[in-house]
Amino acid sequence: MAEELEGSGVTVNSIHPATYMPTAMSRRSGMEVVDTLEKGVAATRRLVDAPELAEITGRYFDGEKEARASEEAYDPDYRRRLRELTRKMAAGV
């Protein structure tokens, strides 16, 4: 999506804010809490609000640090298929 919106002034990034925060989903699954909700919120807010990230797009963040995503994220064919499937699901097809 970052490539599609290039030059529009909109930035698109992905984030894994924290690990097993105390959310309803984690509690229902029986996962043991690893990180605080505050840690996840801080990482997400940083990506949204930090002036130094205002022009950064098409990146992946693990918490507050830029990281390398899964290899599929860099495969153009995989990304195309994921985009097509996502659009079909959004359209209810």
Side-chain angles (χ1 to χ4, degrees):
M1 185 178 259
E3 290 170 351
E4 291 179 26
L5 295 173
E6 189 173 347
S8 71
V10 175
T11 59
V12 179
N13 294 292
S14 297
I15 187 168
H16 179 263
T19 302
Y20 303 136
M21 295 175 286
T23 63
M25 183 176 73
S26 293
R27 284 191 294 275
R28 282 194 303 265
S29 68
M31 295 176 182
E32 194 164 321
V33 170
V34 173
D35 287 326
T36 65
L37 189 57
E38 290 79 13
K39 182 177 179 178
V41 169
T44 304
R45 289 298 308 223
R46 178 178 175 272
L47 189 56
V48 171
D49 293 337
E52 67 272 17
L53 299 176
E55 302 294 322
I56 301 298
T57 191
R59 308 282 178 83
Y60 172 71
F61 291 82
D62 187 358
E64 293 190 8
K65 296 182 181 180
E66 188 172 339
R68 182 136 177 100
S70 299
E71 287 305 311
E72 294 90 353
Y74 304 98
D75 178 333
D77 187 51
Y78 185 89
R79 290 170 30 195
R80 179 190 52 76
R81 290 187 322 230
L82 178 60
R83 188 170 44 252
E84 289 171 0
L85 178 60
T86 302
R87 286 182 177 146
K88 283 181 183 178
M89 291 174 67
V93 176

